[in-house]
Amino acid sequence: TGAHVCRWLGSGTGNLGGIMALQYSVAVRNAQLDAFETAVGASAVLKIRTGAQPATCATADSGTVLATLSLPSDWMAAASSGSKALSGTWQDASADATGTAAHFRLYATDGTTCHAQGTVTATGGGGDMTLDNTSITSGQSVTITSFTLTAGNA
């Protein structure tokens, strides 16, 4: 739960940019994952939202922002064995609004440049990211319990 296969690294179909059946070493997969964190930046912003996620990160935001989290400066652990998990505490001490969490968007420090998005479920629900509770009330604490990126093409 809370795992997300990086489609930009290969989705298990073996097709990356038209190249069929490529396989990468663990070292290459780890480097790709670590480059993701570098590209997003050291002070990433995570927003938990209601409703369906937009078609792409380039599409305008959708849904109501329920929680805004300023992630720790080293917000992902170093990649290992082709995966990379959250690091530190990902928490908003006081939710912005009331609603049901359904998707997230991960932004650069500016809070407007989207670099990743995905589904949100409660722990054990199988979403790309899991929360302690998807039924959020304004002012409550919101904690991310799991988020792992896994590079494809193993």
Side-chain angles (χ1 to χ4, degrees):
T1 62
H4 179 70
V5 175
C6 293
R7 290 184 185 99
W8 52 273
L9 298 177
S11 63
T13 62
N15 187 343
L16 179 63
I19 301 171
M20 300 301 288
L22 260 181
Q23 290 183 316
Y24 298 131
S25 69
V26 171
V28 168
R29 293 168 57 224
N30 287 345
Q32 290 172 323
L33 291 167
D34 288 335
F36 171 77
E37 183 179 12
T38 300
V40 174
S43 299
V45 175
L46 177 69
K47 294 183 183 180
I48 306 299
R49 297 174 166 274
T50 62
Q53 70 188 35
T56 69
C57 266
T59 305
D61 292 337
S62 66
T64 301
V65 176
L66 299 175
T68 303
L69 294 79
S70 296
L71 299 183
S73 61
D74 188 14
W75 50 276
M76 296 290 286
S80 176
S81 300
S83 67
K84 188 172 183 73
L86 66 81
S87 179
T89 301
W90 293 22
Q91 186 175 56
D92 181 351
S94 181
D96 304 322
T98 298
T100 301
H103 75 278
F104 73 88
R105 292 191 111 186
L106 180 65
Y107 301 90
T109 305
D110 63 10
T112 60
T113 305
C114 179
H115 286 288
Q117 64 180 11
T119 60
V120 172
T121 60
T123 302
D128 298 318
M129 178 179 286
T130 57
L131 310 179
D132 56 344
N133 180 6
T134 57
S135 181
I136 297 173
T137 302
S138 181
Q140 84 173 57
S141 176
V142 177
T143 302
I144 309 305
T145 58
S146 179
F147 180 62
T148 301
L149 298 173
T150 303
N153 295 45

